[in-house]
Amino acid sequence: MRKFLMTAASAVLALSVFSADVETADAQSAADQVITEGKKHLGSPYRYGGTSPSGFDCSGYLVYIFDRAIDQSLPRTAAAQASAGDSVSKSNLQPGDLVFFNTSGRGVSHSGMYIGGGDMIHSSSSRGVSIVSINDPYYWGSRYIGAQRVITEQEEVASETSPPEPKPLPAGQYHDVRESHFAYAEIKSLGESGIINGYSDYTYRPNQQIDRSQAAALIARTLDLKPDGNPGYDDVSSSHHNADVISAVESAGYFDSIVKGNDFKPSAKITRGEIAAVFYEAFNLEGFESEENFHDVAGHEYYDQIMAFAGTEISTGTRDGGYDPERVANRGHFAAFLDRALNVHN
């Protein structure tokens, strides 16, 4: 029997530092992440019932890009998506909102995502994934029937000019983490135990991405690593705000497998594959194995680490049977990984 144990005090310190680092980072918003993912598929063909880049229908396209970009589940049909969030007026649309149209004469029959400037990105039967104006006088303008805000982070953005007093919530609960969120249980557990505290407005901001510098801070504080002089990397000066923790993980060797050459790349977003490699070293996962047959990791440079990572059940993979090693991790991902790492055993 092998079990990893960590003091609550170390974990609190680690995540407190981590939260501060992320709050000051130039992180891409959840809406931006979904829009970026959506634009990757411009030109993909339309296919009735399609939910993959080989062919999307309108709602299947939205399901795919929200899942892929921010791990958010949407209902499968346009009609169901039309009641999935909070209704917003056309004049209050923000990027990332879902927009709906009556193209059949029988209510909601088409959905897309608003991307700003009066435009939406969608999968249409005539052009596949494309960008059009929601006010197009020849078609879409007259068929527009409503919009829904499904990204909870958008609610915070919408109120920035005159923010109301945030409603206090019990430990472990956050205004932007609903029960449908993939890491809800883990975030709630860590919050209830006092390991994470979130932000002063009672949000956790689970969709903010993590870079290597922030991951180093988390690992160093969690494992009580001490700096060993200045970092030896060409791109991390002694004045870097995370120089001490980068020096500490450098001495421990925990990031060696993901660092190429002599550049640490502190601002580079850290991927799921890289996190598996770092956790493998930091939490001594050698000897763990998984029976999962991920379709996207064969031959990957971190194959052994990913399979050990999955063998501990720190990660259970993605909904389509893969591991998605190149996907950038966010605060939601990390909370899930940390909560499981605290209880890993063989």
Side-chain angles (χ1 to χ4, degrees), residues 87-144:
S87 180
V88 292
S89 66
K90 194 174 188 181
S91 62
N92 194 36
L93 281 173
Q94 294 181 19
D97 290 341
L98 304 187
V99 287
F100 302 95
F101 303 84
N102 180 356
T103 60
S104 66
R106 298 187 298 273
V108 175
S109 54
H110 186 77
S111 55
M113 179 176 65
Y114 187 68
I115 61 173
D119 292 337
M120 71 168 172
I121 190 168
H122 68 152
S123 182
S124 71
S125 57
S126 59
R127 297 176 56 194
V129 177
S130 53
I131 295 174
V132 297
S133 170
I134 63 172
N135 300 308
D136 173 12
Y138 300 104
Y139 194 80
W140 299 109
S142 63
R143 290 167 173 79
Y144 180 91

Side-chain angles (χ1 to χ4, degrees), residues 244-261:
D244 283 352
V245 295
I246 292 173
S247 171
V249 298
E250 180 184 15
S251 297
Y254 294 157
F255 281 66
D256 286 357
S257 61
I258 72 170
V259 172
K260 312 302 181 186

Side-chain angles (χ1 to χ4, degrees), residues 68 91 105 148 168 171 200 214 231 282 308 326 344:
R68 181 82 177 178
S91 62
Q148 294 287 112
S200 60
Q214 295 153 1
E326 306 308 318
V344 69

Side-chain angles (χ1 to χ4, degrees), residues 2 4 219 223 225 249-259 273-288 301-302 304-306 308-309 312 314:
R2 177 160 64 89
F4 171 73
I219 296 297
L223 301 181
L225 303 179
V249 298
E250 180 184 15
S251 297
Y254 294 157
F255 281 66
D256 286 357
S257 61
I258 72 170
V259 172
E274 291 169 340
I275 286 182
V278 170
F279 269 55
Y280 182 87
E281 300 296 337
F283 301 123
N284 190 22
L285 302 184
E286 184 177 1
F288 287 99
E301 63 177 319
Y302 304 132
D304 291 338
Q305 294 97 321
I306 289 170
F309 197 58
T312 64
I314 294 174

Side-chain angles (χ1 to χ4, degrees), residues 57-345:
D57 63 18
C58 65
S59 56
Y61 169 66
L62 297 178
V63 168
Y64 181 89
I65 62 174
F66 271 76
D67 175 57
R68 181 82 177 178
I70 61 172
D71 289 296
Q72 181 169 337
S73 297
L74 293 181
R76 177 61 185 89
T77 67
Q81 289 171 357
S83 58
D86 299 313
S87 180
V88 292
S89 66
K90 194 174 188 181
S91 62
N92 194 36
L93 281 173
Q94 294 181 19
D97 290 341
L98 304 187
V99 287
F100 302 95
F101 303 84
N102 180 356
T103 60
S104 66
R106 298 187 298 273
V108 175
S109 54
H110 186 77
S111 55
M113 179 176 65
Y114 187 68
I115 61 173
D119 292 337
M120 71 168 172
I121 190 168
H122 68 152
S123 182
S124 71
S125 57
S126 59
R127 297 176 56 194
V129 177
S130 53
I131 295 174
V132 297
S133 170
I134 63 172
N135 300 308
D136 173 12
Y138 300 104
Y139 194 80
W140 299 109
S142 63
R143 290 167 173 79
Y144 180 91
I145 55 175
Q148 294 287 112
R149 182 156 296 151
V150 295
I151 300 177
T152 52
E153 185 179 275
Q154 293 290 79
E155 296 164 6
E156 176 189 344
V157 172
S159 63
E160 282 181 351
T161 55
S162 56
E165 188 70 22
K167 177 184 176 182
L169 292 174
Q173 296 183 29
Y174 305 95
H175 290 299
D176 57 351
V177 182
R178 294 172 173 167
E179 290 188 19
S180 59
H181 191 276
F182 79 97
Y184 173 80
E186 291 89 346
I187 292 171
K188 185 172 186 287
S189 174
L190 292 173
E192 287 176 340
S193 65
I195 293 176
I196 61 174
N197 297 311
Y199 292 88
S200 60
D201 60 354
Y202 300 95
T203 62
Y204 179 69
R205 305 178 194 176
N207 296 316
Q208 286 189 340
Q209 297 178 332
I210 303 171
D211 64 32
R212 289 185 177 188
S213 171
Q214 295 153 1
L218 177 65
I219 296 297
R221 269 66 174 193
T222 299
L223 301 181
D224 198 26
L225 303 179
K226 303 301 182 184
D228 184 16
N230 292 326
Y233 299 108
D234 291 341
D235 61 348
V236 183
S237 70
S238 59
S239 61
H240 189 280
H241 67 283
N242 272 331
D244 283 352
V245 295
I246 292 173
S247 171
V249 298
E250 180 184 15
S251 297
Y254 294 157
F255 281 66
D256 286 357
S257 61
I258 72 170
V259 172
K260 312 302 181 186
N262 206 40
D263 287 338
F264 186 77
K265 297 183 179 179
S267 298
K269 305 306 181 185
I270 193 165
T271 66
R272 288 165 52 86
E274 291 169 340
I275 286 182
V278 170
F279 269 55
Y280 182 87
E281 300 296 337
F283 301 123
N284 190 22
L285 302 184
E286 184 177 1
F288 287 99
E289 296 180 357
S290 174
E291 296 180 359
E292 295 286 345
N293 185 26
F294 299 126
H295 63 73
D296 55 0
V297 300
H300 195 279
E301 63 177 319
Y302 304 132
Y303 175 84
D304 291 338
Q305 294 97 321
I306 289 170
M307 298 310 289
F309 197 58
T312 64
E313 297 187 355
I314 294 174
S315 174
T316 55
T318 59
R319 295 182 183 92
D320 66 353
Y323 177 77
D324 209 356
E326 306 308 318
R327 182 190 295 190
V328 171
N330 58 34
R331 283 168 56 83
H333 291 135
F334 192 84
F337 296 157
L338 179 64
D339 185 70
R340 297 164 194 167
L342 287 167
N343 298 286
V344 69
H345 63 277

